[in-house]
Each structure stands twice: as C-alpha cells, then as structure tokens.
Amino acid sequence: MPVRDKIETMPRQELKKLQSERLVWQVKRMYERVECFKTRMDEKGLKPEDIKGVEDLHKLPFAYKKDLRDYYPYGLFAEPLTNIKRVHASSGTTGKRIVVGYTENDLEMWANCVARMLEGIGITKDDIFQVAFGYGFFTGGFGLHAGAEKIGATVIPISSGNTALQIQTMIDFKATAICCTPSYAMYLAEEIEKAGVKDQLSLRVGVFGAEPWSESMRKEVENKLGIKAYDIYGLSEILGPGVACECEYQCGMHVWEDNFIVEIIDPETLEVLPEGSTGELVFTTITKEGFPVIRYRTRDICSLEYAPCKCGRTHLRMNKPSGRSDDMLIIRGVNVFPSQIEEVLINIGEGKITPNYLIKVDRVNNNDTFDLEVEMSEDLFADDLKTIALTEKEISEKLRSALGLGVKVHLVNPKSIARSEGKAKRVLDLRKI
Ligand code: DLL
C-alpha cells in the first residue's frame, strides 16, 4: 500500500488527540473571526473555552447551506481576502450561488487529500490523467487536477463535455486514467462502444464522483471501458472532491479525519446517532483557514464504518450516500434545487404561465434527461402557437443560464398537472441508480 502521509495510518487514539487539538484551535479562531458562528455560540451560552476536544463537538451549533446564502459572498470567510487565493462556487437553494474560499494552505491540503487517494489506488507519475470534470466554479476539475499534479502524473485538463474530442484525446494522448461523473463515464463508454474504438484505449483506471452511483453501474463502466473504477466524494462547502475517497480495497471511502471530523445525526431530532447508524452526514473542518465550517449539515444520508481497513489506513470510511434529506437533485453532475426553477418561473410572470410545474428526470442510454412541464395561463393558451413556442424558448434560456444546465421545457394546458392534497409533488425522478 503506497501511503503519502504517516498520518494516514496513525493509530485512532492519536488521531482523536490530533482532532481535539485542531478543533480547539478552529473554534477559537472562528469565534473571533466569523460573526455568524460567534452569534450562534453566544445564543447557546458557549465560549470557546468550553470546547476542550472532540467529546464536546456535540455542544456546538450546526451550520447550514442557507448560511452561505445569507452571508453571500464572503461573510463566512475567516481570512481577509488578501489571503484568499481562489474561490469556487456551487448552487444554493435559490438562484444565488454559494461561494467558498481557499488560502494557500487550504489549496495545499486539498491537493494532498486528492493525491492521497490517487496514490492509494496506484496512480503514479507515469500515468496520463484526463480530467473530464468541469473546470471553473465547480470544484471537480481544479480539485482532481491539483491532486494529480501533486503525484507527478501528466495531466490533460480537457474539462467536461465534447464527447468526440474526449474520446479522440484519450486515444491520441494515451490517457491511462480518467476522472468525471459516473453518468458521464457511462455515456463515454457507450459512445466508445458505438465507435468500436475500445481496443485503441490505454485506460486502466477511473475516478468517479460528484453524484450518487450504484455498484451495478460501477461494474458496467468497468466492463465497458476495461478499467477499475473508484468512488470519490466531496462537497464545495467542505473542500470539493477528496473529502473522502476509496482505497484499493473499495470497502467505503476513507474520510481524511486529520482534516475533517464527521458525525452522523438524525435529520429530524438532530441527535448524534450511535456508531453504525444511517443518518445525515455532518462535517467539521479542523484545518481549513479560508472558509472553515463547524458541524455543517450536508443533507447526504449514509453510514460510517469504523472497523479497521485491510489497507492499513486508520481513517474511518463512509458508505455510498443513499440519498439526501433535502430536495436537491443532481442532474448530469449539476446540483439543482426545485426552488431555483421556481424563481425563474416566477420572473416569467403570471400573464404567461401558472406556478404549476413538474420536473421529470430520467436516465436514457446512461445519460440524464431533464424535462420541465409548466402550465400555461389561460391567456397564453388562447394565444397563437408561435407565442407559445417563444415562451417555451424564453423559459429554457433563462433556466439554462440560472442552472448552468440544459432543460427541455414543455408548456402544457392549464390545469393539466395533477394537484396534490398535501405537499405539491414537483419532482418525478425515474432514474434507477
Ligand atoms: O460534487 C464535489 C466533487 C467533485 C465530488 C468531483 C467528487 C468529485 P458539489 O457540487 O458541492 O461538490 O456537490 C456536493 O454532491 O453533497 C453529494 O450530495 C453529491 N456527491 C458528491 N460526491 C458524491 C459521491 C462536488 N461520490 C454533493 N457519491 C454532495 C454520491 C456525491 N454523491
């Protein structure tokens, strides 16, 4: 087992001690620097001195995605902007993106977290690594890029999309490793099969994540591409990719506990659940400087494995997230909240449409389809077909710019979307993951 850092195999007792020291440090500096955190501590009557170690973690207040919106863009940063070397962003619960920032040390820690995984699964400086995650606000491209560079691999920063170019590049540049979302990997595999070029590939390993995927999907990608496929987990608010990663034994993803403390809570009662339970993942970043969070509620549902791993790493493992405790959808790797769609529809106005809509997501040929039915107003319904088509186009364009994702809009007749007696059913997700 190639191990980058001795810390990866540190005995759990020592790891806990390290976490405690780092937690105390983080709580103190956040109390002094992050107004939102200080207010919540004060409301609970807590002072930084009350937190002496990991055993006191449960006393601390939670942090939420909504906080990032309320303090948009920089209000939760714990360092002045002169020390922030990079920002990234992802979807929030409304139109506004949520913004996170990294200091030089944070970028170094991030690259290390990803490098630990890549090295652990046998990627070396002799590999040619095609980064087919998006570069830009999304953390996927830059995150994997930095980790792969750290281990000295040759990086192809192709970014996402343009499937024909991806395949040609893979062949011509003799890529041996690739990273992207698992659904895109399936799509690529399909296209490679169609083009009959599998035997021209040099690929042997894939790193996939940013959305849920199943073991059967893993097998299919592995068979179709002739590679070994590994899972990587992360979220922008905590780091980006590399918060947790599989090792060569693929029995859960090691959470890098020298940087993150992880808890499982009951999303209803907010109680911390005993070892082995399934619940909502909560992360505390104990080394991050620019944008640290304490007890951040991820909304991802999963369980943790504490039993020693065959690889010798002592850091606990998280199982594949089985779902979310909020209404966020991940479509082609992009996070989508129904509320973002609602906001666009509201701005189109009642003269044309009604607020009744239905999001339909499915997976066809291993590619996510994304359709939106919206009821027309009686006025628009009575108008000519050209006006209706133009409205459809207007909604599609506004949604594409708000979500960063193409969606097929279908204007449907007034009162044709089923009404619900309880909570409105806005999402029909037919994907079998
Ligand atoms: O998806 C970061 C990332 C990039 C992870 C590349 C892995 C690879 P966000 O856009 O903030 O960040 O979305 C985070 O995606 O809360 C999960 O719901 C979901 N997610 C991420 N990785 C996995 C995974 C990136 N391996 C949200 N399995 C998270 C299941 C995942 N869900």
Side-chain angles (χ1 to χ4, degrees):
M1 169 199 53
V3 169
R4 280 194 80 71
D5 281 318
K6 271 210 284 239
I7 245 172
E8 287 176 59
T9 52
M10 184 182 247
R12 287 203 64 78
Q13 221 26 49
E14 273 177 53
L15 197 52
K16 193 169 166 201
K17 194 163 159 266
L18 182 72
Q19 285 187 324
S20 288
E21 284 163 17
R22 291 179 169 180
L23 177 68
V24 168
W25 169 81
Q26 189 66 286
V27 168
K28 182 168 180 297
R29 79 188 266 286
M30 279 183 66
Y31 189 81
E32 286 160 3
R33 296 166 183 223
V34 184
E35 180 206 315
C36 166
F37 180 67
K38 180 179 185 304
T39 309
R40 289 200 185 139
M41 288 282 281
D42 291 347
E43 278 165 9
K44 278 182 159 260
L46 275 174
K47 292 272 167 261
E49 310 79 82
D50 298 327
I51 306 302
K52 302 200 163 52
V54 178
E55 63 284 2
D56 295 322
L57 185 66
H58 68 279
K59 297 178 185 164
L60 290 163
F62 288 106
Y64 305 86
K65 202 171 197 118
K66 184 177 177 300
D67 300 339
L68 282 93
R69 191 179 83 216
D70 294 346
Y71 288 84
Y72 174 89
Y74 301 138
L76 298 175
F77 285 15
E79 288 287 335
L81 279 180
T82 46
N83 295 339
I84 299 291
K85 296 291 169 239
R86 171 135 35 103
V87 292
H88 278 282
S90 88
S91 329
T93 44
T94 69
K96 256 186 203 165
R97 281 178 178 270
I98 56 157
V99 181
V100 297
Y102 305 76
T103 63
E104 188 119 32
N105 287 337
D106 293 338
L107 291 173
E108 177 67 16
M109 180 272 278
W110 186 9
N112 261 318
C113 284
V114 176
R116 280 180 188 176
M117 171 193 193
L118 299 182
E119 205 169 60
I121 60 172
I123 296 180
T124 70
K125 65 181 188 38
D126 297 326
D127 276 291
I128 301 171
F129 195 71
Q130 184 152 330
V131 180
F133 274 123
Y135 284 67
F137 270 156
F138 180 53
T139 52
F142 281 103
L144 268 298
H145 182 117
E149 269 189 358
K150 185 149 269 292
I151 60 166
T154 307
V155 179
I156 309 173
I158 190 165
S159 195
S160 54
N162 200 342
T163 307
L165 181 68
Q166 294 279 355
I167 297 172
Q168 199 56 53
T169 307
M170 221 179 275
I171 295 170
D172 294 348
F173 294 17
K174 302 187 171 41
T176 55
I178 186 164
C179 63
C180 58
T181 59
S183 53
Y184 191 59
M186 279 297 284
Y187 183 62
L188 272 173
E190 219 70 69
E191 292 300 301
I192 286 167
E193 203 166 55
K194 251 195 250 164
V197 293
K198 186 178 167 191
D199 57 349
Q200 295 177 42
L201 300 180
S202 310
L203 278 188
R204 58 175 194 84
V205 56
V207 176
F208 307 123
E211 64 184 7
W213 56 309
S214 59
E215 283 306 322
S216 59
M217 200 161 161
R218 185 196 316 253
K219 293 243 155 58
E220 230 179 304
V221 174
E222 289 189 333
N223 288 338
K224 285 205 156 90
L225 287 176
I227 59 169
K228 193 122 183 74
Y230 293 90
D231 198 358
I232 184 167
Y233 168 90
L235 60 165
S236 325
E237 299 91 308
I238 303 303
L239 184 74
V243 172
C245 316
E246 278 184 339
C247 65
E248 67 270 40
Y249 289 98
Q250 302 191 301
C251 48
M253 293 178 271
H254 290 281
V255 175
W256 300 129
E257 289 184 276
D258 49 327
N259 297 305
F260 314 107
I261 306 179
V262 57
E263 299 167 275
I264 294 281
I265 63 160
D266 178 327
E268 301 295 328
T269 64
L270 307 184
E271 290 299 313
V272 178
L273 295 175
E275 272 187 23
S277 315
T278 298
E280 184 182 325
L281 268 179
V282 171
F283 281 104
T284 295
T285 63
I286 46 175
T287 52
K288 241 170 126 204
E289 297 173 340
F291 177 83
V293 280
I294 301 262
R295 303 197 85 200
Y296 182 76
R297 290 191 56 185
T298 64
R299 300 291 182 170
D300 288 321
I301 303 292
C302 93
S303 61
L304 304 176
E305 293 283 346
Y306 291 82
C309 181
K310 276 190 263 174
C311 74
R313 290 179 186 82
T314 49
H315 298 228
L316 63 75
R317 287 155 289 146
M318 59 176 270
N319 291 314
K320 272 183 180 301
S322 59
R324 293 190 50 93
S325 68
D326 65 4
D327 56 359
M328 187 175 96
L329 292 156
I330 306 181
I331 305 172
R332 290 178 226 132
V334 177
N335 302 347
V336 175
F337 287 94
S339 53
Q340 290 175 286
I341 293 175
E342 233 164 83
E343 202 160 281
V344 169
L345 295 182
I346 284 166
N347 288 328
I348 300 282
E350 277 182 35
K352 291 182 179 171
I353 55 170
T354 75
N356 296 306
Y357 66 91
L358 183 66
I359 300 165
K360 286 187 177 165
V361 193
D362 204 348
R363 189 158 281 170
V364 178
N365 292 334
N366 295 310
N367 207 0
D368 288 342
T369 59
F370 181 18
D371 290 79
L372 178 71
E373 290 183 356
V374 186
E375 272 184 15
M376 288 181 260
S377 67
E378 296 285 355
D379 282 354
L380 183 64
F381 184 52
D383 223 320
D384 59 294
L385 285 176
K386 197 169 161 217
T387 317
I388 295 175
L390 278 174
T391 310
E392 253 176 11
K393 195 162 170 248
E394 178 192 354
I395 301 174
S396 307
E397 279 165 7
K398 291 210 163 122
L399 283 171
R400 175 183 282 281
S401 101
L403 307 173
L405 192 66
V407 46
K408 237 188 233 149
V409 175
H410 312 269
L411 284 177
V412 295
N413 294 352
K415 306 210 169 52
S416 62
I417 293 180
R419 303 294 192 266
S420 148
E421 290 188 348
K423 261 184 178 213
K425 188 152 174 46
R426 303 281 192 211
V427 181
L428 193 58
D429 193 342
L430 300 167
R431 292 173 294 187
K432 290 189 185 59
I433 291 173

